Amino acid sequence: ETVFYQNLYVLCEFYGWGKMKLGFHPKIETLNASSVEYFISPEDWRGEVIISLKNIKFVDPYGVIMLILLIKHLRSRSINVKITPPISLDVLNWLERMNFFAEIENDCEFTSDVLHLRSNVRNPSRSLKEITHITSENRVTSVVEVLAHILIEDYGFEPNIVYRLCGVMIETFQNIPQHSNPGDKVDPYGIAAIQSYKDHFYLVVGDIGVGIKESLNLNPKYRKKNFTNLEAIRAVLEKGASRFKERGRGGQIKRVCEIVSSLGG
């Protein structure tokens, strides 16, 4: 989560973008959480952003979720987005299978046609959960249930351990519908995706809500501290800080960390 917020914070501090040396990196062929910023052209940040996926040969769920959130955030700031699709047919087909193009079709312009991908045959897959909107607790549960099935059936984990882990995940991901949009000021646009490989899997959840720092600033106790983003995250994870002033409310993410630690995580 810290890495995610570091990356997203860097990408979304628009007034500082002119000082950054970002742009197309010819040697990067993987789109993931660490490399997503290098696919962005540093031209006119406030008018138009160009994202070239031309040379990528592999995309992981972290990269695709962060890219979608970035595009949505840019459009919310009235910044035009142009995307150059990948040359690789495998990457194009995977992005289509994950519903990437459908998610952003109203938020950007493509430099070449991708509509033909919609005719792809979609075979059932239990190793993949397409991009899913996290708008309610039921949606959270539906995503976590897919992961539970993968862990039990494909990885052979004990069901009782998996169910404990799933409880932790549901508690964590409920922060999107419950806390990412206090006061209904923004559209948090929460999304999730799952991909299982031979020896590892990804479960990725993200949103463009107010963020942890702005959430804590709703509590006068923390507003005075003027936290940075990372300090705010640390206060939540380690001290149980919350936007709620009342005792007994909040602090669940700290509890989640304790449970994960007790499971050896």
Side-chain angles (χ1 to χ4, degrees), residues 4-17 20 22 37 40 45 66-77 79 207-209 229:
F4 176 85
Y5 272 90
Q6 281 177 321
N7 277 282
L8 199 57
Y9 178 69
V10 167
L11 291 171
C12 296
E13 277 290 348
F14 296 105
Y15 295 106
W17 273 19
M20 294 184 186
L22 303 183
E37 63 193 71
I40 304 166
W45 295 114
M66 288 190 68
L67 184 56
I68 291 172
L69 296 179
L70 173 62
I71 292 168
K72 295 287 183 179
H73 189 75
L74 289 169
R75 289 302 302 138
S76 74
R77 299 296 182 92
I79 295 176
D207 66 76
I208 49 174
N229 283 278

PDB file of all heavy atoms in Angstrom, residues 4-17 20 22 37 40 45 66-77 79 207-209 229:
ATOM      1  N   PHE A   4       2.134   1.813  -3.432  1.00  0.00           N
ATOM      2  CA  PHE A   4       1.056   2.280  -4.298  1.00  0.00           C
ATOM      3  C   PHE A   4       0.826   3.771  -4.095  1.00  0.00           C
ATOM      4  O   PHE A   4       0.748   4.537  -5.048  1.00  0.00           O
ATOM      5  CB  PHE A   4      -0.235   1.515  -4.004  1.00  0.00           C
ATOM      6  CG  PHE A   4      -1.409   2.025  -4.805  1.00  0.00           C
ATOM      7  CD1 PHE A   4      -1.622   1.545  -6.084  1.00  0.00           C
ATOM      8  CD2 PHE A   4      -2.263   2.979  -4.299  1.00  0.00           C
ATOM      9  CE1 PHE A   4      -2.691   2.006  -6.833  1.00  0.00           C
ATOM     10  CE2 PHE A   4      -3.322   3.448  -5.038  1.00  0.00           C
ATOM     11  CZ  PHE A   4      -3.545   2.954  -6.312  1.00  0.00           C
ATOM     12  N   TYR A   5       0.739   4.186  -2.832  1.00  0.00           N
ATOM     13  CA  TYR A   5       0.479   5.591  -2.570  1.00  0.00           C
ATOM     14  C   TYR A   5       1.653   6.461  -2.982  1.00  0.00           C
ATOM     15  O   TYR A   5       1.463   7.573  -3.467  1.00  0.00           O
ATOM     16  CB  TYR A   5       0.151   5.815  -1.086  1.00  0.00           C
ATOM     17  CG  TYR A   5      -1.310   5.652  -0.788  1.00  0.00           C
ATOM     18  CD1 TYR A   5      -1.823   4.408  -0.431  1.00  0.00           C
ATOM     19  CD2 TYR A   5      -2.184   6.716  -0.889  1.00  0.00           C
ATOM     20  CE1 TYR A   5      -3.175   4.242  -0.169  1.00  0.00           C
ATOM     21  CE2 TYR A   5      -3.535   6.561  -0.635  1.00  0.00           C
ATOM     22  CZ  TYR A   5      -4.029   5.327  -0.271  1.00  0.00           C
ATOM     23  OH  TYR A   5      -5.358   5.165  -0.024  1.00  0.00           O
ATOM     24  N   GLN A   6       2.871   5.961  -2.810  1.00  0.00           N
ATOM     25  CA  GLN A   6       4.032   6.724  -3.261  1.00  0.00           C
ATOM     26  C   GLN A   6       3.953   6.961  -4.761  1.00  0.00           C
ATOM     27  O   GLN A   6       4.126   8.080  -5.240  1.00  0.00           O
ATOM     28  CB  GLN A   6       5.322   5.969  -2.942  1.00  0.00           C
ATOM     29  CG  GLN A   6       5.768   6.084  -1.493  1.00  0.00           C
ATOM     30  CD  GLN A   6       7.008   5.258  -1.247  1.00  0.00           C
ATOM     31  OE1 GLN A   6       7.142   4.167  -1.766  1.00  0.00           O
ATOM     32  NE2 GLN A   6       7.906   5.787  -0.447  1.00  0.00           N
ATOM     33  N   ASN A   7       3.664   5.903  -5.521  1.00  0.00           N
ATOM     34  CA  ASN A   7       3.591   6.025  -6.964  1.00  0.00           C
ATOM     35  C   ASN A   7       2.455   6.934  -7.388  1.00  0.00           C
ATOM     36  O   ASN A   7       2.627   7.830  -8.212  1.00  0.00           O
ATOM     37  CB  ASN A   7       3.392   4.638  -7.601  1.00  0.00           C
ATOM     38  CG  ASN A   7       4.692   3.878  -7.767  1.00  0.00           C
ATOM     39  OD1 ASN A   7       5.450   4.153  -8.677  1.00  0.00           O
ATOM     40  ND2 ASN A   7       4.946   2.945  -6.878  1.00  0.00           N
ATOM     41  N   LEU A   8       1.262   6.708  -6.807  1.00  0.00           N
ATOM     42  CA  LEU A   8       0.100   7.483  -7.221  1.00  0.00           C
ATOM     43  C   LEU A   8       0.245   8.937  -6.814  1.00  0.00           C
ATOM     44  O   LEU A   8      -0.133   9.847  -7.542  1.00  0.00           O
ATOM     45  CB  LEU A   8      -1.176   6.893  -6.609  1.00  0.00           C
ATOM     46  CG  LEU A   8      -2.480   7.304  -7.303  1.00  0.00           C
ATOM     47  CD1 LEU A   8      -2.433   6.930  -8.786  1.00  0.00           C
ATOM     48  CD2 LEU A   8      -3.671   6.655  -6.646  1.00  0.00           C
ATOM     49  N   TYR A   9       0.863   9.170  -5.652  1.00  0.00           N
ATOM     50  CA  TYR A   9       1.071  10.535  -5.201  1.00  0.00           C
ATOM     51  C   TYR A   9       2.018  11.263  -6.152  1.00  0.00           C
ATOM     52  O   TYR A   9       1.782  12.395  -6.546  1.00  0.00           O
ATOM     53  CB  TYR A   9       1.640  10.540  -3.784  1.00  0.00           C
ATOM     54  CG  TYR A   9       1.934  11.928  -3.245  1.00  0.00           C
ATOM     55  CD1 TYR A   9       0.890  12.798  -2.956  1.00  0.00           C
ATOM     56  CD2 TYR A   9       3.232  12.364  -3.046  1.00  0.00           C
ATOM     57  CE1 TYR A   9       1.131  14.069  -2.467  1.00  0.00           C
ATOM     58  CE2 TYR A   9       3.495  13.628  -2.564  1.00  0.00           C
ATOM     59  CZ  TYR A   9       2.438  14.484  -2.265  1.00  0.00           C
ATOM     60  OH  TYR A   9       2.686  15.733  -1.795  1.00  0.00           O
ATOM     61  N   VAL A  10       3.090  10.589  -6.549  1.00  0.00           N
ATOM     62  CA  VAL A  10       4.039  11.196  -7.486  1.00  0.00           C
ATOM     63  C   VAL A  10       3.357  11.510  -8.807  1.00  0.00           C
ATOM     64  O   VAL A  10       3.519  12.588  -9.382  1.00  0.00           O
ATOM     65  CB  VAL A  10       5.238  10.259  -7.725  1.00  0.00           C
ATOM     66  CG1 VAL A  10       6.053  10.726  -8.921  1.00  0.00           C
ATOM     67  CG2 VAL A  10       6.122  10.218  -6.478  1.00  0.00           C
ATOM     68  N   LEU A  11       2.526  10.574  -9.279  1.00  0.00           N
ATOM     69  CA  LEU A  11       1.902  10.756 -10.572  1.00  0.00           C
ATOM     70  C   LEU A  11       0.853  11.849 -10.572  1.00  0.00           C
ATOM     71  O   LEU A  11       0.588  12.467 -11.592  1.00  0.00           O
ATOM     72  CB  LEU A  11       1.246   9.438 -11.019  1.00  0.00           C
ATOM     73  CG  LEU A  11       2.216   8.313 -11.362  1.00  0.00           C
ATOM     74  CD1 LEU A  11       1.456   7.019 -11.557  1.00  0.00           C
ATOM     75  CD2 LEU A  11       2.993   8.654 -12.609  1.00  0.00           C
ATOM     76  N   CYS A  12       0.242  12.099  -9.432  1.00  0.00           N
ATOM     77  CA  CYS A  12      -0.913  12.996  -9.384  1.00  0.00           C
ATOM     78  C   CYS A  12      -0.614  14.359  -8.789  1.00  0.00           C
ATOM     79  O   CYS A  12      -1.516  15.161  -8.632  1.00  0.00           O
ATOM     80  CB  CYS A  12      -2.049  12.317  -8.620  1.00  0.00           C
ATOM     81  SG  CYS A  12      -2.641  10.831  -9.449  1.00  0.00           S
ATOM     82  N   GLU A  13       0.617  14.635  -8.414  1.00  0.00           N
ATOM     83  CA  GLU A  13       0.975  15.985  -7.989  1.00  0.00           C
ATOM     84  C   GLU A  13       1.286  16.810  -9.233  1.00  0.00           C
ATOM     85  O   GLU A  13       2.419  17.043  -9.601  1.00  0.00           O
ATOM     86  CB  GLU A  13       2.190  15.953  -7.048  1.00  0.00           C
ATOM     87  CG  GLU A  13       1.831  15.654  -5.618  1.00  0.00           C
ATOM     88  CD  GLU A  13       1.088  16.799  -4.950  1.00  0.00           C
ATOM     89  OE1 GLU A  13       1.049  17.908  -5.529  1.00  0.00           O
ATOM     90  OE2 GLU A  13       0.530  16.578  -3.877  1.00  0.00           O
ATOM     91  N   PHE A  14       0.222  17.261  -9.890  1.00  0.00           N
ATOM     92  CA  PHE A  14       0.374  17.845 -11.217  1.00  0.00           C
ATOM     93  C   PHE A  14       1.257  19.083 -11.242  1.00  0.00           C
ATOM     94  O   PHE A  14       1.978  19.328 -12.186  1.00  0.00           O
ATOM     95  CB  PHE A  14      -1.001  18.199 -11.781  1.00  0.00           C
ATOM     96  CG  PHE A  14      -1.848  16.996 -12.001  1.00  0.00           C
ATOM     97  CD1 PHE A  14      -2.889  16.697 -11.145  1.00  0.00           C
ATOM     98  CD2 PHE A  14      -1.569  16.135 -13.037  1.00  0.00           C
ATOM     99  CE1 PHE A  14      -3.654  15.571 -11.339  1.00  0.00           C
ATOM    100  CE2 PHE A  14      -2.339  15.011 -13.232  1.00  0.00           C
ATOM    101  CZ  PHE A  14      -3.380  14.730 -12.373  1.00  0.00           C
ATOM    102  N   TYR A  15       1.206  19.891 -10.212  1.00  0.00           N
ATOM    103  CA  TYR A  15       1.941  21.138 -10.256  1.00  0.00           C
ATOM    104  C   TYR A  15       3.447  20.931 -10.170  1.00  0.00           C
ATOM    105  O   TYR A  15       4.213  21.851 -10.422  1.00  0.00           O
ATOM    106  CB  TYR A  15       1.451  22.060  -9.134  1.00  0.00           C
ATOM    107  CG  TYR A  15       0.016  22.460  -9.329  1.00  0.00           C
ATOM    108  CD1 TYR A  15      -0.975  21.898  -8.518  1.00  0.00           C
ATOM    109  CD2 TYR A  15      -0.355  23.333 -10.336  1.00  0.00           C
ATOM    110  CE1 TYR A  15      -2.303  22.227  -8.707  1.00  0.00           C
ATOM    111  CE2 TYR A  15      -1.684  23.663 -10.526  1.00  0.00           C
ATOM    112  CZ  TYR A  15      -2.664  23.119  -9.711  1.00  0.00           C
ATOM    113  OH  TYR A  15      -3.967  23.434  -9.916  1.00  0.00           O
ATOM    114  N   GLY A  16       3.863  19.732  -9.829  1.00  0.00           N
ATOM    115  CA  GLY A  16       5.289  19.456  -9.793  1.00  0.00           C
ATOM    116  C   GLY A  16       5.769  18.653 -10.987  1.00  0.00           C
ATOM    117  O   GLY A  16       6.942  18.379 -11.122  1.00  0.00           O
ATOM    118  N   TRP A  17       4.846  18.262 -11.850  1.00  0.00           N
ATOM    119  CA  TRP A  17       5.213  17.364 -12.949  1.00  0.00           C
ATOM    120  C   TRP A  17       6.239  17.985 -13.893  1.00  0.00           C
ATOM    121  O   TRP A  17       7.062  17.300 -14.460  1.00  0.00           O
ATOM    122  CB  TRP A  17       3.960  16.988 -13.744  1.00  0.00           C
ATOM    123  CG  TRP A  17       3.277  15.803 -13.167  1.00  0.00           C
ATOM    124  CD1 TRP A  17       3.431  15.303 -11.912  1.00  0.00           C
ATOM    125  CD2 TRP A  17       2.330  14.967 -13.816  1.00  0.00           C
ATOM    126  NE1 TRP A  17       2.638  14.216 -11.747  1.00  0.00           N
ATOM    127  CE2 TRP A  17       1.945  13.984 -12.890  1.00  0.00           C
ATOM    128  CE3 TRP A  17       1.763  14.952 -15.078  1.00  0.00           C
ATOM    129  CZ2 TRP A  17       1.029  13.006 -13.189  1.00  0.00           C
ATOM    130  CZ3 TRP A  17       0.840  13.976 -15.376  1.00  0.00           C
ATOM    131  CH2 TRP A  17       0.482  13.010 -14.440  1.00  0.00           C
ATOM    132  N   MET A  20       9.789  16.899 -13.380  1.00  0.00           N
ATOM    133  CA  MET A  20      10.167  15.491 -13.392  1.00  0.00           C
ATOM    134  C   MET A  20      10.679  15.058 -14.757  1.00  0.00           C
ATOM    135  O   MET A  20      10.222  15.545 -15.783  1.00  0.00           O
ATOM    136  CB  MET A  20       8.965  14.629 -13.007  1.00  0.00           C
ATOM    137  CG  MET A  20       8.523  14.838 -11.581  1.00  0.00           C
ATOM    138  SD  MET A  20       7.194  13.727 -11.185  1.00  0.00           S
ATOM    139  CE  MET A  20       6.771  14.327  -9.556  1.00  0.00           C
ATOM    140  N   LEU A  22      10.200  12.421 -16.706  1.00  0.00           N
ATOM    141  CA  LEU A  22       9.438  11.239 -17.100  1.00  0.00           C
ATOM    142  C   LEU A  22       9.333  11.208 -18.616  1.00  0.00           C
ATOM    143  O   LEU A  22       9.615  12.171 -19.301  1.00  0.00           O
ATOM    144  CB  LEU A  22       8.033  11.274 -16.484  1.00  0.00           C
ATOM    145  CG  LEU A  22       7.966  11.368 -14.963  1.00  0.00           C
ATOM    146  CD1 LEU A  22       6.514  11.310 -14.520  1.00  0.00           C
ATOM    147  CD2 LEU A  22       8.740  10.240 -14.318  1.00  0.00           C
ATOM    148  N   GLU A  37       4.882   5.085 -14.676  1.00  0.00           N
ATOM    149  CA  GLU A  37       5.128   6.500 -14.961  1.00  0.00           C
ATOM    150  C   GLU A  37       6.016   6.709 -16.183  1.00  0.00           C
ATOM    151  O   GLU A  37       5.983   7.774 -16.809  1.00  0.00           O
ATOM    152  CB  GLU A  37       5.742   7.184 -13.753  1.00  0.00           C
ATOM    153  CG  GLU A  37       7.090   6.642 -13.359  1.00  0.00           C
ATOM    154  CD  GLU A  37       7.523   7.135 -11.972  1.00  0.00           C
ATOM    155  OE1 GLU A  37       6.929   6.694 -10.973  1.00  0.00           O
ATOM    156  OE2 GLU A  37       8.431   7.962 -11.913  1.00  0.00           O
ATOM    157  N   ILE A  40       4.587   7.674 -19.838  1.00  0.00           N
ATOM    158  CA  ILE A  40       3.871   8.940 -19.993  1.00  0.00           C
ATOM    159  C   ILE A  40       4.791   9.983 -20.610  1.00  0.00           C
ATOM    160  O   ILE A  40       5.911  10.190 -20.165  1.00  0.00           O
ATOM    161  CB  ILE A  40       3.360   9.441 -18.634  1.00  0.00           C
ATOM    162  CG1 ILE A  40       2.501   8.355 -17.991  1.00  0.00           C
ATOM    163  CG2 ILE A  40       2.576  10.727 -18.786  1.00  0.00           C
ATOM    164  CD1 ILE A  40       2.230   8.603 -16.543  1.00  0.00           C
ATOM    165  N   TRP A  45       1.715  18.870 -19.561  1.00  0.00           N
ATOM    166  CA  TRP A  45       1.054  18.115 -18.497  1.00  0.00           C
ATOM    167  C   TRP A  45      -0.368  18.589 -18.248  1.00  0.00           C
ATOM    168  O   TRP A  45      -1.245  17.821 -17.928  1.00  0.00           O
ATOM    169  CB  TRP A  45       1.851  18.245 -17.203  1.00  0.00           C
ATOM    170  CG  TRP A  45       3.210  17.636 -17.269  1.00  0.00           C
ATOM    171  CD1 TRP A  45       4.396  18.288 -17.196  1.00  0.00           C
ATOM    172  CD2 TRP A  45       3.533  16.248 -17.432  1.00  0.00           C
ATOM    173  NE1 TRP A  45       5.437  17.412 -17.308  1.00  0.00           N
ATOM    174  CE2 TRP A  45       4.941  16.149 -17.448  1.00  0.00           C
ATOM    175  CE3 TRP A  45       2.779  15.099 -17.558  1.00  0.00           C
ATOM    176  CZ2 TRP A  45       5.595  14.946 -17.580  1.00  0.00           C
ATOM    177  CZ3 TRP A  45       3.429  13.894 -17.694  1.00  0.00           C
ATOM    178  CH2 TRP A  45       4.820  13.824 -17.708  1.00  0.00           C
ATOM    179  N   MET A  66      -3.312   0.705 -11.842  1.00  0.00           N
ATOM    180  CA  MET A  66      -2.755   2.044 -11.635  1.00  0.00           C
ATOM    181  C   MET A  66      -2.928   2.915 -12.864  1.00  0.00           C
ATOM    182  O   MET A  66      -3.198   4.111 -12.758  1.00  0.00           O
ATOM    183  CB  MET A  66      -1.278   1.949 -11.251  1.00  0.00           C
ATOM    184  CG  MET A  66      -1.051   1.436  -9.849  1.00  0.00           C
ATOM    185  SD  MET A  66       0.673   1.613  -9.314  1.00  0.00           S
ATOM    186  CE  MET A  66       0.800   3.393  -9.205  1.00  0.00           C
ATOM    187  N   LEU A  67      -2.789   2.332 -14.050  1.00  0.00           N
ATOM    188  CA  LEU A  67      -2.942   3.108 -15.276  1.00  0.00           C
ATOM    189  C   LEU A  67      -4.382   3.593 -15.432  1.00  0.00           C
ATOM    190  O   LEU A  67      -4.620   4.754 -15.795  1.00  0.00           O
ATOM    191  CB  LEU A  67      -2.534   2.267 -16.484  1.00  0.00           C
ATOM    192  CG  LEU A  67      -2.548   2.979 -17.832  1.00  0.00           C
ATOM    193  CD1 LEU A  67      -1.668   4.224 -17.803  1.00  0.00           C
ATOM    194  CD2 LEU A  67      -2.103   2.035 -18.942  1.00  0.00           C
ATOM    195  N   ILE A  68      -5.336   2.743 -15.143  1.00  0.00           N
ATOM    196  CA  ILE A  68      -6.743   3.148 -15.231  1.00  0.00           C
ATOM    197  C   ILE A  68      -7.042   4.275 -14.243  1.00  0.00           C
ATOM    198  O   ILE A  68      -7.684   5.280 -14.584  1.00  0.00           O
ATOM    199  CB  ILE A  68      -7.669   1.949 -14.976  1.00  0.00           C
ATOM    200  CG1 ILE A  68      -7.589   0.959 -16.134  1.00  0.00           C
ATOM    201  CG2 ILE A  68      -9.125   2.413 -14.802  1.00  0.00           C
ATOM    202  CD1 ILE A  68      -8.324  -0.341 -15.880  1.00  0.00           C
ATOM    203  N   LEU A  69      -6.572   4.120 -13.008  1.00  0.00           N
ATOM    204  CA  LEU A  69      -6.816   5.148 -12.002  1.00  0.00           C
ATOM    205  C   LEU A  69      -6.175   6.470 -12.413  1.00  0.00           C
ATOM    206  O   LEU A  69      -6.749   7.549 -12.209  1.00  0.00           O
ATOM    207  CB  LEU A  69      -6.281   4.701 -10.641  1.00  0.00           C
ATOM    208  CG  LEU A  69      -6.953   3.480 -10.012  1.00  0.00           C
ATOM    209  CD1 LEU A  69      -6.303   3.148  -8.670  1.00  0.00           C
ATOM    210  CD2 LEU A  69      -8.447   3.700  -9.828  1.00  0.00           C
ATOM    211  N   LEU A  70      -4.982   6.387 -12.979  1.00  0.00           N
ATOM    212  CA  LEU A  70      -4.303   7.596 -13.431  1.00  0.00           C
ATOM    213  C   LEU A  70      -5.103   8.289 -14.530  1.00  0.00           C
ATOM    214  O   LEU A  70      -5.307   9.507 -14.496  1.00  0.00           O
ATOM    215  CB  LEU A  70      -2.905   7.253 -13.935  1.00  0.00           C
ATOM    216  CG  LEU A  70      -2.142   8.403 -14.608  1.00  0.00           C
ATOM    217  CD1 LEU A  70      -1.916   9.549 -13.629  1.00  0.00           C
ATOM    218  CD2 LEU A  70      -0.819   7.911 -15.160  1.00  0.00           C
ATOM    219  N   ILE A  71      -5.573   7.520 -15.507  1.00  0.00           N
ATOM    220  CA  ILE A  71      -6.353   8.094 -16.613  1.00  0.00           C
ATOM    221  C   ILE A  71      -7.625   8.746 -16.087  1.00  0.00           C
ATOM    222  O   ILE A  71      -7.981   9.868 -16.484  1.00  0.00           O
ATOM    223  CB  ILE A  71      -6.683   7.002 -17.653  1.00  0.00           C
ATOM    224  CG1 ILE A  71      -5.401   6.550 -18.360  1.00  0.00           C
ATOM    225  CG2 ILE A  71      -7.701   7.505 -18.668  1.00  0.00           C
ATOM    226  CD1 ILE A  71      -5.564   5.284 -19.183  1.00  0.00           C
ATOM    227  N   LYS A  72      -8.321   8.078 -15.170  1.00  0.00           N
ATOM    228  CA  LYS A  72      -9.542   8.646 -14.593  1.00  0.00           C
ATOM    229  C   LYS A  72      -9.238   9.943 -13.848  1.00  0.00           C
ATOM    230  O   LYS A  72     -10.001  10.913 -13.908  1.00  0.00           O
ATOM    231  CB  LYS A  72     -10.189   7.634 -13.643  1.00  0.00           C
ATOM    232  CG  LYS A  72     -10.690   6.364 -14.304  1.00  0.00           C
ATOM    233  CD  LYS A  72     -11.955   6.620 -15.109  1.00  0.00           C
ATOM    234  CE  LYS A  72     -12.489   5.309 -15.697  1.00  0.00           C
ATOM    235  NZ  LYS A  72     -13.741   5.520 -16.462  1.00  0.00           N
ATOM    236  N   HIS A  73      -8.111   9.957 -13.138  1.00  0.00           N
ATOM    237  CA  HIS A  73      -7.747  11.150 -12.383  1.00  0.00           C
ATOM    238  C   HIS A  73      -7.393  12.301 -13.323  1.00  0.00           C
ATOM    239  O   HIS A  73      -7.783  13.451 -13.090  1.00  0.00           O
ATOM    240  CB  HIS A  73      -6.570  10.847 -11.463  1.00  0.00           C
ATOM    241  CG  HIS A  73      -6.269  11.954 -10.499  1.00  0.00           C
ATOM    242  ND1 HIS A  73      -7.047  12.194  -9.392  1.00  0.00           N
ATOM    243  CD2 HIS A  73      -5.306  12.902 -10.495  1.00  0.00           C
ATOM    244  CE1 HIS A  73      -6.563  13.236  -8.730  1.00  0.00           C
ATOM    245  NE2 HIS A  73      -5.497  13.683  -9.379  1.00  0.00           N
ATOM    246  N   LEU A  74      -6.669  12.006 -14.390  1.00  0.00           N
ATOM    247  CA  LEU A  74      -6.330  13.041 -15.363  1.00  0.00           C
ATOM    248  C   LEU A  74      -7.588  13.653 -15.965  1.00  0.00           C
ATOM    249  O   LEU A  74      -7.706  14.877 -16.093  1.00  0.00           O
ATOM    250  CB  LEU A  74      -5.453  12.448 -16.468  1.00  0.00           C
ATOM    251  CG  LEU A  74      -4.020  12.067 -16.086  1.00  0.00           C
ATOM    252  CD1 LEU A  74      -3.378  11.262 -17.201  1.00  0.00           C
ATOM    253  CD2 LEU A  74      -3.189  13.307 -15.784  1.00  0.00           C
ATOM    254  N   ARG A  75      -8.538  12.815 -16.323  1.00  0.00           N
ATOM    255  CA  ARG A  75      -9.774  13.321 -16.919  1.00  0.00           C
ATOM    256  C   ARG A  75     -10.568  14.156 -15.921  1.00  0.00           C
ATOM    257  O   ARG A  75     -11.233  15.123 -16.300  1.00  0.00           O
ATOM    258  CB  ARG A  75     -10.626  12.166 -17.443  1.00  0.00           C
ATOM    259  CG  ARG A  75     -10.064  11.495 -18.666  1.00  0.00           C
ATOM    260  CD  ARG A  75      -9.881  12.490 -19.828  1.00  0.00           C
ATOM    261  NE  ARG A  75     -11.139  13.143 -20.178  1.00  0.00           N
ATOM    262  CZ  ARG A  75     -11.262  14.441 -20.464  1.00  0.00           C
ATOM    263  NH1 ARG A  75     -10.211  15.250 -20.416  1.00  0.00           N
ATOM    264  NH2 ARG A  75     -12.446  14.938 -20.784  1.00  0.00           N
ATOM    265  N   SER A  76     -10.503  13.789 -14.641  1.00  0.00           N
ATOM    266  CA  SER A  76     -11.211  14.585 -13.630  1.00  0.00           C
ATOM    267  C   SER A  76     -10.622  15.984 -13.518  1.00  0.00           C
ATOM    268  O   SER A  76     -11.268  16.902 -13.021  1.00  0.00           O
ATOM    269  CB  SER A  76     -11.171  13.882 -12.269  1.00  0.00           C
ATOM    270  OG  SER A  76      -9.889  13.977 -11.675  1.00  0.00           O
ATOM    271  N   ARG A  77      -9.366  16.145 -13.970  1.00  0.00           N
ATOM    272  CA  ARG A  77      -8.704  17.451 -13.991  1.00  0.00           C
ATOM    273  C   ARG A  77      -8.767  18.094 -15.380  1.00  0.00           C
ATOM    274  O   ARG A  77      -8.044  19.047 -15.656  1.00  0.00           O
ATOM    275  CB  ARG A  77      -7.238  17.294 -13.576  1.00  0.00           C
ATOM    276  CG  ARG A  77      -7.031  16.754 -12.161  1.00  0.00           C
ATOM    277  CD  ARG A  77      -7.562  17.697 -11.112  1.00  0.00           C
ATOM    278  NE  ARG A  77      -7.327  17.212  -9.768  1.00  0.00           N
ATOM    279  CZ  ARG A  77      -6.264  17.521  -9.038  1.00  0.00           C
ATOM    280  NH1 ARG A  77      -5.333  18.310  -9.517  1.00  0.00           N
ATOM    281  NH2 ARG A  77      -6.144  17.045  -7.806  1.00  0.00           N
ATOM    282  N   ILE A  79      -7.739  17.040 -18.206  1.00  0.00           N
ATOM    283  CA  ILE A  79      -6.532  16.821 -19.005  1.00  0.00           C
ATOM    284  C   ILE A  79      -6.829  15.743 -20.041  1.00  0.00           C
ATOM    285  O   ILE A  79      -7.310  14.662 -19.702  1.00  0.00           O
ATOM    286  CB  ILE A  79      -5.351  16.402 -18.122  1.00  0.00           C
ATOM    287  CG1 ILE A  79      -4.981  17.549 -17.177  1.00  0.00           C
ATOM    288  CG2 ILE A  79      -4.150  15.986 -18.965  1.00  0.00           C
ATOM    289  CD1 ILE A  79      -3.889  17.214 -16.196  1.00  0.00           C
ATOM    290  N   ASP A 207      -8.267   2.863  -5.625  1.00  0.00           N
ATOM    291  CA  ASP A 207      -9.322   3.862  -5.833  1.00  0.00           C
ATOM    292  C   ASP A 207      -8.688   5.238  -5.985  1.00  0.00           C
ATOM    293  O   ASP A 207      -7.498   5.412  -5.743  1.00  0.00           O
ATOM    294  CB  ASP A 207     -10.313   3.864  -4.662  1.00  0.00           C
ATOM    295  CG  ASP A 207      -9.684   4.332  -3.366  1.00  0.00           C
ATOM    296  OD1 ASP A 207      -9.481   5.561  -3.215  1.00  0.00           O
ATOM    297  OD2 ASP A 207      -9.384   3.494  -2.493  1.00  0.00           O
ATOM    298  N   ILE A 208      -9.486   6.202  -6.400  1.00  0.00           N
ATOM    299  CA  ILE A 208      -9.035   7.587  -6.469  1.00  0.00           C
ATOM    300  C   ILE A 208      -9.893   8.447  -5.550  1.00  0.00           C
ATOM    301  O   ILE A 208     -10.344   9.533  -5.912  1.00  0.00           O
ATOM    302  CB  ILE A 208      -9.037   8.139  -7.914  1.00  0.00           C
ATOM    303  CG1 ILE A 208     -10.360   7.849  -8.613  1.00  0.00           C
ATOM    304  CG2 ILE A 208      -7.871   7.589  -8.705  1.00  0.00           C
ATOM    305  CD1 ILE A 208     -10.466   8.498  -9.986  1.00  0.00           C
ATOM    306  N   GLY A 209     -10.097   7.910  -4.343  1.00  0.00           N
ATOM    307  CA  GLY A 209     -10.821   8.664  -3.332  1.00  0.00           C
ATOM    308  C   GLY A 209      -9.955   9.770  -2.745  1.00  0.00           C
ATOM    309  O   GLY A 209      -8.924  10.137  -3.299  1.00  0.00           O
ATOM    310  N   ASN A 229       1.895  12.341   3.055  1.00  0.00           N
ATOM    311  CA  ASN A 229       1.138  11.125   2.731  1.00  0.00           C
ATOM    312  C   ASN A 229       1.681   9.912   3.470  1.00  0.00           C
ATOM    313  O   ASN A 229       0.922   9.126   4.038  1.00  0.00           O
ATOM    314  CB  ASN A 229       1.184  10.881   1.219  1.00  0.00           C
ATOM    315  CG  ASN A 229       0.249  11.782   0.455  1.00  0.00           C
ATOM    316  OD1 ASN A 229      -0.937  11.511   0.347  1.00  0.00           O
ATOM    317  ND2 ASN A 229       0.781  12.870  -0.054  1.00  0.00           N
TER     318      ASN A 229
END
